[in-house]
Amino acid sequence: MRGQTTGGTRAGVVAVLAVAGLMLVAVLAVWAASIGRDAVLSGDGPERMQIDTPTPTPTPSTSEGPGPPPINKLPSEPPAFFRVLALLVVAVFWLLLAVLVFFFLRGLWRQARLIRREAEAAPVEIDMLEPDQPARVSDQMERDASTQRALLEEGSPRTAIEACWHRFEVQAGEAGLARKSWETSSEFTYRMLDVVGADPHAAFTLGELYREARFSEHPLGEEARASARAALAAIQLGPRLRRASEEQS
Amino acid sequence: MSVADAAGLAGRVLTEVEKAVVGKHDKLALVLAAVLAKGHVLLEDFPGLGKTLAARSFAQALGLDFARAQFTPDLLPADLTGSFIYDQREGRFDFRKGPLFTGLLLADEINRTPPKTQAALLEAMQERQITIEGETFLLPEPFHVIATANPVEYEGTYPLPEAQLDRFLLRVSFGYPGPEQEYDVVARRLVRRREEIDLDQVTDATGVLAMQAAVEEIEVDASIGRYCVDLVTATRQHPDALTGASPRGSLGLVLAARGFALLRGRDYVIPEDIKAVARPVLSHRITVRPELWMTQASGERIVDAVLSDVPAPPTLGGRRS
């Protein structure tokens, strides 16, 4: 807001200066028009020269001719007030020009700065997984599997499913894969389960059950817990299969 | 009508409209979500991308009365609202209704008409009634406006002011189709052997009202409501924004997300619904700082920025049931 106000004040000052300058020029023009051209241009005016043309002589015969014509200087000093006004107009003109150039250059500089800031502020964010991260997450899931299963059996189906889903975040956090604050729980957990190559169908099923448990108001029965149990078992099978294949290879 | 029934009906409407408008499932779903949420939609896109076709197709599939008003510079408010005409035989003034008295109004090229006529339409959109010479006329229920605007023409146009843009629940751009989709449009026309597309009427005005009533039953968790408010507040604090979205933006987010949730067959809103509707709901409500008009800054980018910054709802709800 403060920036906005300052910008508004500056714009106001510029506008006032511009209007004042234009008004001065307009007043001068009106004054000049009202007193007439003769009065404006009266006085001595710029120095005028009068050249006396010689009368032609019929027989210029000798080298001692009439010579160059004499130049007579006429008195030509403009009135003092006119010179002051002229100076003022010129000064105002240059001042306005300088102000305009200043604002133009400042605008260009701001533009360049904004473009630079924009380029700096939006770095391409690439989520780079550490090479051993899938294995670490997978190990942590395996170590924590029984605790997670137990959470699914505690309390009402709604709270049990919520707690079971939340456990994935805990496991990932302990394995060094943190949830970003702007990520929804589902976005993060799907990302995590994708890292360990969990069964996508089971992950989707458990995710849908979690969303229903977390955000709905309708009753959630034991059949939801049973579905969640089956989905969790399929998800937990992933890390075990992964370990088995690693041991074989 | 239950949420599941409403979702099934809405799905059939969408399928029917997709017979005419090819390859725009997500965008059409947004438009339908807005209609289900009792909102109005602004379709802003280049010419020839199916804006008018989409509006007419929705009217056909939803079984709503359809009227089209071509917004020209000489269009007067009375051309939209209607006016009193003197009946010489009866010796009295009768009200002759304008195109506003319809179920779905296509306001074509809304930015081509002067602000006075725009204001008359937008007032009707907000109040769902019009007052002429002291007499108030209620508009039919449901009443929806799908307005179109062409973003590339500036000469002789009157861009809608921010306060009036705010009246539209969503602003949607279809964008150009991919090569395959574009060929599909051509191929379908060749198979059809005529220009017109006949769509089946899936429901009627009563059905639309029932679906809208079902949307009202959709639950919104407090954490989701607060998330919407946080997103909208963040648009006001973003350095590139001169003015962010108003509280109507928070409300619009929640309402549009409920319509979107119904299309997914859910009776509750999830944070991903909010993220899905955030861009079309909020971007047209944000004014970018004038000094940034020559840069890449835009309402869409500000919405993307706040979505990548504002904390999402917590994983655990803390309820015990």
Side-chain angles (χ1 to χ4, degrees):
Chain A
M1 283 303 283
R2 200 179 57 187
Q4 236 174 295
T5 314
T6 316
T9 314
R10 283 176 186 164
V13 170
V14 173
V16 166
L17 278 175
V19 169
L22 285 172
M23 281 179 69
L24 185 62
V25 172
V27 165
L28 286 174
V30 168
W31 167 77
S34 64
I35 63 171
R37 197 185 70 152
D38 291 342
V40 174
L41 300 177
S42 69
D44 303 332
E47 282 192 354
R48 283 181 282 177
M49 313 284 264
Q50 186 176 337
I51 300 171
D52 292 336
T53 48
T55 44
T57 48
T59 51
S61 55
T62 59
S63 59
E64 294 175 5
I71 296 170
N72 298 329
K73 278 196 172 179
L74 295 177
S76 60
E77 277 297 303
F81 77 91
F82 186 84
R83 277 180 296 173
V84 170
L85 280 174
L87 270 174
L88 207 60
V89 168
V90 170
V92 167
F93 171 76
W94 284 112
L95 188 68
L96 280 175
L97 194 67
V99 168
L100 283 174
V101 168
F102 169 73
F103 279 105
F104 178 70
L105 290 176
R106 198 182 64 161
L108 280 181
W109 178 74
R110 278 187 175 180
Q111 197 77 18
R113 195 182 57 167
L114 286 168
I115 291 169
R116 203 166 50 240
R117 193 191 75 186
E118 197 174 50
E120 285 167 0
V124 179
E125 195 177 324
I126 301 171
D127 258 333
M128 293 292 285
L129 276 179
E130 293 166 32
D132 63 335
Q133 204 153 36
R136 272 193 282 148
V137 176
S138 195
D139 289 348
Q140 186 58 36
M141 279 177 71
E142 209 176 344
R143 273 197 295 276
D144 198 53
S146 57
T147 310
Q148 194 171 22
R149 281 196 298 272
L151 282 171
L152 191 53
E153 304 304 326
E154 284 173 17
S156 69
R158 189 182 297 278
T159 51
I161 291 170
E162 276 187 47
C164 169
W165 183 261
H166 178 248
R167 198 68 195 173
F168 285 126
E169 281 183 38
V170 175
Q171 293 162 2
E174 285 174 5
L177 186 66
R179 175 183 165 192
K180 296 183 177 78
S181 68
W182 53 266
E183 262 183 317
T184 66
S185 177
S186 302
E187 286 170 345
F188 172 73
T189 308
Y190 284 141
R191 180 160 68 91
M192 169 219 175
L193 293 177
D194 187 50
V195 164
V196 297
D199 177 4
H201 179 71
F204 177 76
T205 305
L206 192 54
E208 288 296 292
L209 285 165
Y210 158 72
R211 286 163 162 172
E212 191 176 1
R214 168 71 177 85
F215 296 108
S216 79
E217 292 288 334
H218 59 240
L220 210 60
E222 284 299 325
E223 69 280 1
R225 195 199 305 262
S227 300
R229 199 180 290 130
L232 181 63
I235 291 168
Q236 288 182 338
L237 198 60
R240 281 206 295 275
L241 290 174
R242 180 192 176 91
R243 177 176 289 276
S245 70
E246 277 174 0
E247 282 171 0
Q248 276 179 357
S249 62
Chain B
M1 189 183 283
S2 70
V3 169
D5 292 342
L9 192 57
R12 291 208 299 281
V13 169
L14 210 51
T15 307
E16 199 60 29
V17 173
E18 281 184 282
K19 286 181 186 171
V21 185
V22 180
K24 298 291 170 200
H25 178 84
D26 293 347
K27 305 291 182 179
L28 294 174
L30 284 170
V31 174
L32 185 56
V35 170
L36 295 178
K38 300 182 185 174
H40 308 286
V41 181
L42 177 62
L43 296 178
E44 196 175 80
D45 226 324
F46 300 111
L49 293 181
K51 303 186 290 286
T52 309
L53 179 65
R56 193 186 293 122
S57 304
F58 270 116
Q60 273 183 284
L62 290 168
L64 299 177
D65 287 337
F66 178 71
R68 175 182 177 164
Q70 189 66 41
F71 279 56
T72 51
D74 58 350
L75 191 78
L76 297 172
D79 296 333
L80 284 178
T81 57
S83 52
F84 282 97
I85 307 284
Y86 187 67
D87 185 340
Q88 287 192 328
R89 273 185 300 181
E90 300 290 328
R92 65 175 187 202
F93 284 93
D94 286 335
F95 182 65
R96 186 172 292 174
K97 291 177 177 176
L100 272 182
F101 289 85
T102 188
L104 197 149
L105 173 71
L106 171 62
D108 219 357
E109 306 250 27
I110 192 173
N111 55 342
R112 286 206 166 276
T113 205
K116 192 175 178 182
T117 311
Q118 289 174 354
L121 171 70
L122 295 162
E123 188 184 342
M125 286 163 58
Q126 183 68 21
E127 310 290 333
R128 293 182 192 269
Q129 65 177 34
I130 52 172
T131 304
I132 300 166
E133 296 186 16
E135 205 172 329
T136 300
F137 298 91
L138 291 177
L139 295 175
E141 280 274 346
F143 169 69
H144 294 283
V145 174
I146 296 184
T148 70
N150 179 348
V152 285
E153 289 177 29
Y154 298 105
E155 200 165 335
T157 61
Y158 303 87
L160 290 172
E162 285 75 14
Q164 296 188 344
L165 278 173
D166 213 18
R167 308 280 171 89
F168 288 98
L169 182 58
L170 299 181
R171 183 180 66 181
V172 179
S173 295
F174 285 155
Y176 284 104
E180 283 305 312
Q181 294 164 343
E182 196 162 338
Y183 175 70
D184 201 13
V185 173
V186 174
R188 285 186 192 207
R189 170 65 183 82
L190 295 175
V191 169
R192 206 163 56 239
R193 291 173 185 269
R194 60 198 173 93
E195 192 58 43
E196 299 77 32
I197 305 169
D198 289 330
L199 298 181
D200 293 334
Q201 181 181 333
V202 177
T203 182
D204 55 11
T206 313
V208 174
L209 288 174
M211 284 194 284
Q212 291 177 341
V215 169
E216 292 294 337
E217 299 301 315
I218 290 177
E219 297 291 341
V220 181
D221 189 71
S223 63
I224 302 245
R226 290 192 184 282
Y227 179 53
C228 293
V229 172
D230 290 345
L231 286 172
V232 170
T233 307
T235 65
R236 290 176 215 146
Q237 291 159 353
H238 195 276
D240 290 355
L242 184 65
T243 52
S246 66
R248 202 180 273 157
S250 306
L251 199 58
L253 266 183
V254 172
L255 297 179
R258 286 204 308 186
F260 197 76
L262 182 128
L263 290 176
R264 298 282 181 273
R266 279 186 267 102
D267 65 350
Y268 52 92
V269 172
I270 58 175
E272 288 77 14
D273 293 333
I274 304 295
K275 289 194 170 189
V277 300
R279 251 184 171 224
V281 169
L282 295 181
S283 62
H284 64 289
R285 302 171 198 266
I286 298 169
T287 310
V288 176
R289 283 187 177 280
E291 61 263 34
L292 297 171
W293 285 350
M294 297 295 283
T295 68
Q296 297 290 313
S298 65
E300 283 84 0
R301 285 184 65 148
I302 292 174
V303 174
D304 289 347
V306 300
L307 283 174
S308 305
D309 187 46
V310 172
T315 308
L316 297 173
R319 289 179 303 180
R320 291 286 173 266
S321 62

